[in-house]
Amino acid sequence: MLQPARAAGEGFDSGRRLDAKNGDADMGLAYARLDLHHSQVALRQAQLAQDQMGDSLPIHLIRATAYGDLGLLNHAVSEYRTALKLAPNQTGLHLALADSLFGLHRYQEAIDELQVAEKFAPGNSATYALLARSYAHLGDREQTLRYVGMAEQGGQSEVFVSTGEALSIIGERDSAMQRFEKALVAPGSDRLSVRLAIGKLMAQDGEWDDARRQVALGLMEVRGGKAPPPSDKQWLQAADVFLAMHEFELAQTFFERALAAGAPETPVRIGLANSYLARGDTPRAEAQLIQIDRANNSNNEEQSYDY
């Protein structure tokens, strides 16, 4: 993914050099930089495109995605809401807004958006799965179980992972594990993602040896060809599992692998800062946070991280 995006960016750069007021080239550069997780650059290119072409739906989608990558979920929410004024009937926008609200722990607002999305596209298992998780966080057992049942009618692996997480939140540990087992054998299963979800649950429950085993099994399945190579997001998930178990050196290793795989800098450096702080290495933790501030201040944005 990174190589085509980099090549595309070079092509749009050439177009902009030929025409300094090329809004299409700026828009293309913004998309290419998003693919490379160069979120601050994408924001600047989106502003240049808007200066040349005026306001548009793609501008707000670029900004929302970039802010989400940077962990600035309140800004992402604002951009999605503006985008919805331009395209109120787009189901994907309501789902993206709901996902950002969920990340901010604003579960009732997420539910409100998901219910709107359900009206435009009924029967979407992903919508029902996020509804189940949102209701679970609100402690509404009845609605959680209702949407778990609706979500699972499609039988997708990722849905079983999501419903397993919802069930674990309301204390249904055995039922959650049954869903994870179904996720492992469902068609198209990303076995590493499932193993990481199981590992996260076990780490939370203090079953640290079993959590380590799940992460190790997932990586073994990658090496054995049963799962694709880890994505930047999966390296971050693995790092978080080890961070929860106070295995800070391993967590640091996985955060560094996430960064090498193209993960956005903000969540990686926050994770690294946490691991350094836990080991009493305050100067290195501060150095990570300073790097975040330097990168973000280069865009002259007022920052408020949503972690």
Side-chain angles (χ1 to χ4, degrees), residues 133-212:
R133 291 167 64 202
S134 299
Y135 277 115
H137 279 290
L138 291 177
D140 191 329
R141 181 184 183 83
E142 181 179 350
Q143 289 289 73
T144 300
L145 294 175
R146 174 192 172 203
Y147 282 107
V148 164
M150 294 172 70
E152 292 179 350
Q153 291 179 13
Q156 301 104 316
S157 176
E158 63 270 20
V159 167
F160 284 125
V161 171
S162 191
T163 56
E165 291 174 350
L167 290 164
S168 71
I169 293 166
I170 61 171
E172 292 285 345
R173 169 65 185 268
D174 291 344
S175 296
M177 292 304 297
Q178 289 173 7
R179 268 57 181 195
F180 292 138
E181 290 169 5
K182 288 182 179 180
L184 282 171
V185 300
S189 173
D190 185 339
R191 297 179 67 86
L192 177 57
S193 288
V194 181
R195 297 285 187 195
L196 290 172
I198 298 171
K200 176 183 176 181
L201 177 59
M202 290 177 166
Q204 290 171 346
D205 288 349
E207 299 175 8
W208 291 1
D209 286 341
D210 289 332
R212 292 186 199 96

Side-chain angles (χ1 to χ4, degrees), residues 68-90:
D69 268 359
L70 291 167
L72 301 171
L73 298 184
N74 280 309
H75 288 340
V77 165
S78 177
E79 292 296 334
Y80 282 128
R81 290 200 190 282
T82 302
L84 279 166
K85 292 177 183 177
L86 301 174
N89 297 335
Q90 281 205 13

